[in-house]
Amino acid sequence: MRVGDRSVARTFTVFVDLDGTLAVSPISSVIREAYSYIAINSGTNVSEVELHSWRTHIELIKRADPLAFDWDYIYRVVSKFFGVSSGYSIEKRLQELCHLSKLLDNASEVLEELAHTVETLILATNGLIKYQRCVIETLGLDKYFDAIFTPDNRGCLKSCEKFYAVPAECNQRVVVGDNYTFDIYYPKKFGLKAIHVLRSESDPYLKWLGIKRVYEPDAIINSLKHLSVALLKL
């Protein structure tokens, strides 16, 4: 966990997303590999497997259930539906490939700077810790953060208000992330500020959850290298 001098830090609590914001990991390719396993062993088109898994994922998100991002749970549900025995572990396969994880935008330098300019720095991800731990350790991210918030230690997803609960003295909360639904829409709905790291205009959750772009981010940046300046302007 984070150590160092915070005497000049602003009284911000900054929640920084992991996947797609700070780093990319092999999790998506591992999930696709798992669905291909189901398709091959059931004689089903992989697109049908992916659609069923996505619908399961969305139904769990609607309940803010941490199982929405438990990919092994979803795999078991989907494999049972298609009559395939559960013979694949997404968690285990990810650990084998976790060395392929990569930081984006020189994220370590950005986080090092933030450690001296904000009061509290929290890694906030919808990914369960059993999947994110190897990414965090591989990339050496743990040392920059005061805490790591995941659905399994917060009891819900980033779509629920209690996910962002911190002590009352933390008077300015800011979310930084690349996904409109989870990093802009819900934080703004709950009264937090939000900085959008714009990697893509696409967000399939908007359609599937029936969400409109009714909230604007407080800042939009196209690279983490602009994050410190964006925070200073809030």
Side-chain angles (χ1 to χ4, degrees):
M1 286 298 166
R2 174 183 165 193
V3 295
D5 179 20
R6 309 182 200 186
S7 59
V8 297
R10 298 183 68 185
T11 55
F12 279 175
T13 293
V14 180
F15 301 86
V16 185
D17 175 56
L18 178 56
D19 296 303
T21 299
L22 289 176
V24 290
S25 81
I27 186 67
S28 294
S29 61
V30 171
I31 292 170
R32 286 194 296 270
E33 185 178 286
Y35 295 159
S36 294
Y37 177 90
I38 294 174
I40 291 169
N41 286 278
S42 65
T44 307
N45 190 296
V46 70
S47 62
E48 293 182 40
V49 177
E50 291 175 342
L51 180 59
H52 189 76
S53 67
W54 183 258
R55 286 173 172 163
T56 303
H57 175 59
I58 292 297
E59 287 306 310
L60 291 165
I61 286 177
K62 289 177 179 178
R63 305 199 297 265
D65 190 328
L67 287 174
F69 289 87
D70 187 335
W71 301 113
D72 282 292
Y73 169 79
I74 292 176
Y75 170 81
R76 290 192 297 271
V77 170
V78 175
S79 62
K80 182 178 180 180
F81 178 84
F82 286 101
V84 175
S85 61
S86 182
Y88 190 101
S89 170
I90 292 174
E91 179 184 359
K92 181 178 179 181
R93 183 61 173 152
L94 177 61
Q95 290 173 352
E96 293 171 350
L97 299 176
C98 216
H99 64 281
L100 299 175
S101 301
K102 295 180 180 180
L103 288 174
L104 299 171
D105 303 336
N106 294 316
S108 56
E109 295 178 15
V110 175
L111 292 172
E112 182 71 34
E113 182 178 357
L114 285 183
H116 297 286
T117 56
V118 301
E119 180 69 22
T120 306
L121 201 54
I122 296 173
L123 184 62
T125 171
N126 267 329
L128 304 192
I129 194 63
K130 66 180 180 179
Y131 303 118
Q132 302 293 46
R133 182 182 292 109
C134 75
V135 179
I136 293 166
E137 292 177 352
T138 296
L139 300 177
L141 294 174
D142 185 73
K143 62 180 176 287
Y144 300 112
F145 293 96
D146 298 288
I148 297 172
F149 284 11
T150 65
D152 35 344
N153 67 31
R154 302 302 286 173
C156 66
L157 305 180
K158 292 164 72 174
S159 55
C160 75
E161 192 167 6
K162 74 175 184 178
F163 187 95
Y164 303 100
V166 292
E169 60 266 22
C170 299
N171 58 4
Q172 180 81 289
R173 294 176 296 164
V174 184
V175 173
V176 178
D178 69 302
N179 179 262
Y180 178 85
T181 298
F182 291 106
D183 300 317
I184 309 301
Y185 177 84
Y186 283 111
K188 294 292 290 183
K189 181 180 180 180
F190 303 142
L192 285 73
K193 291 187 179 297
I195 296 176
H196 196 182
V197 184
L198 190 59
R199 307 287 190 195
S200 170
E201 295 286 353
S202 175
D203 181 356
Y205 291 113
L206 293 174
K207 176 183 176 181
W208 283 84
L209 296 174
I211 290 173
K212 305 291 185 183
R213 291 181 182 265
V214 294
Y215 299 109
E216 292 294 327
D218 295 280
I220 299 174
I221 57 177
N222 58 18
S223 171
L224 291 172
K225 67 182 181 181
H226 304 303
L227 179 55
S228 292
V229 172
L231 283 168
L232 287 172
K233 291 181 178 180
L234 293 182

